[in-house]
Amino acid sequence: MPEYARIRGSRRQLWFGGLVLLVLSAAANMASPLYPLLQETYGMSETTMTGLYATYVLSCLPSLLLFGSAADAFGRKPVLLAAIGLVVLGTAGFGLNTLGTAGLFAGRALVGIGLGLGTGAGIALMVEASPARRVWLGSTFATISFVLGSGLGPILAGVLAEFSAVPLILPFIIMVAAMAIVMVLIALMPLHRPFTRQRWRPTWPSVPGPMRTSFNIAALTGFVGWTALGLFLALLPSMAQSVLPKSGTLSAGVIVGSVLVVSAASQLAAPKLRPRAAQTLGLTLMGLGAALLLSSNLPSIGPHAVTALLVIAAVATGTGHGLSYWGANREIDLLTPAKNRAGISAALYLAFYAGAGAPAVVVGLLALSMPLATAAMIFTLALLLATIVSIPVPSLAETVVRQSRAESEAPTEVGRRPVPMVDRYGTPVSSGQSVPRGGAASVVETQRPIDFGPCRESRARS
């Protein structure tokens, strides 16, 4: 085991890392229930609103590409401080806007860059602080913190905007104050420096060959999951106003935030499942949520039924997202080399953020030629179909469908089929092959041969 992997952080480091992820994700998503109010205040068109949301996503993705591995080279603390500083500037600029629409775009760009910079560093910090007897605690706490912050941000913004005389200023000022406190705590906290002398340079994230299959499955699951979540974050406030005319920032913020709070809560039970099982179950529940969201727009349904369908859809989507998100992160955490943890985590979050931004961008483009509600329903239908197609992928990847030539030519007993040795994720392992130590792939499981009924009876007669 590398020396870097044996270094463990303190319990305080675990809590502080969770606090960083919570405030960063809260600041990044708190504008969700305020988009209709922003559009009305600044007189922005649907195209401009789509561009505003896309600016955050398009600035976050290059940041993950450029700076994803920076924490592996410079250490966790400098990167986290830089990330919080950028998000503070972006949030303050967005709330105290003096440049009009241009200031809004600049603020969202800074928030996206800061979030992309701090995501990999925060997750790596928490995983390294996991207790030796509960190695899953760091990754689980990291995903819960990130999702819980994404939910608390919209709830805080919706509540403050509903009862404040300055609804587009007060939520952002309070968030800036919270992030400033966290920044001071991180600056005063002693954290270790990187133990590997690796040079940082902007590179495309690379994934080690043995874990590429698992990485691709986790990325697909995460993309679909965050697309379902992005549908609620970016579009539900506007959709709610079309089907529930009396809804305001409070109801929109609570509905959007509840999806993420439910997601965070479901991750508390997720460690009882295997990562692939959690991904499969999560995708199934998100498919149910998309179907219910489609049903809420049927013209024959009354307002009370629409509210009930939206709530049930939010719970199903939140639970499914929490399970699938935890399963994807946990699987990659088990297989990732310690010295590349921040870089690979950033690569995985590329798929997550791309999925979160897809609904607003695609629906915004469709809304240029049709009503917003119609465009949202078309996208929801496409999401439902994509989710249904993706449900079997994590489970099928664990099943050995084809056997090798050596296995097919091996002599077998009458009535018995040879079953290959596989690792925990279903990858065939030959009898002379060594299995890498560490993570879930270190355990080799053998399956019992299958006994067929007629052969069992013949042996009994003999």
Side-chain angles (χ1 to χ4, degrees), residues 177-200:
M179 286 190 292
I181 295 174
V182 174
M183 193 173 185
V184 172
L185 294 176
I186 294 297
L188 297 177
M189 181 180 178
L191 297 177
H192 64 71
R193 296 180 179 179
F195 291 91
T196 54
R197 295 180 178 273
Q198 49 182 316
R199 182 178 300 175
W200 172 80

Side-chain angles (χ1 to χ4, degrees), residues 275-299:
R276 291 281 175 85
Q279 293 177 61
T280 302
L281 182 58
L283 288 169
T284 304
L285 290 172
M286 285 187 293
L288 175 61
L292 292 172
L293 197 58
L294 278 173
S295 303
S296 67
N297 280 260
L298 294 176

Side-chain angles (χ1 to χ4, degrees), residues 348-370:
L348 184 63
Y349 270 75
L350 276 173
F352 296 170
Y353 289 141
V361 176
V362 174
V363 173
L365 295 175
L366 292 175
L368 298 177
S369 57
M370 64 183 69

Side-chain angles (χ1 to χ4, degrees), residues 53 57 61 219 222-231 349-360 379:
Y53 193 89
V57 177
L61 297 182
F223 178 85
V224 174
W226 279 94
T227 301
L229 199 65
L231 190 63
Y349 270 75
L350 276 173
F352 296 170
Y353 289 141
F379 184 87

Side-chain angles (χ1 to χ4, degrees), residues 53-71:
Y53 193 89
T55 298
Y56 156 67
V57 177
L58 295 178
S59 60
C60 186
L61 297 182
S63 176
L64 284 166
L65 286 174
L66 293 174
F67 308 118
S69 60

Side-chain angles (χ1 to χ4, degrees), residues 307-397:
T307 303
L309 286 174
L310 287 177
V311 171
I312 299 174
V315 172
T317 301
T319 305
H321 174 267
L323 295 177
S324 61
Y325 176 51
W326 177 89
N329 272 281
R330 180 59 181 155
E331 180 167 356
I332 299 308
D333 173 50
L334 288 170
L335 301 175
T336 300
K339 65 178 181 179
N340 305 120
R341 195 177 302 281
I344 293 178
S345 295
L348 184 63
Y349 270 75
L350 276 173
F352 296 170
Y353 289 141
V361 176
V362 174
V363 173
L365 295 175
L366 292 175
L368 298 177
S369 57
M370 64 183 69
L372 177 63
T374 304
M377 287 303 99
I378 292 176
F379 184 87
T380 305
L381 177 59
L383 172 64
L384 175 60
L385 296 176
T387 305
I388 293 173
V389 172
S390 303
I391 287 174
V393 173
S395 297
L396 284 179

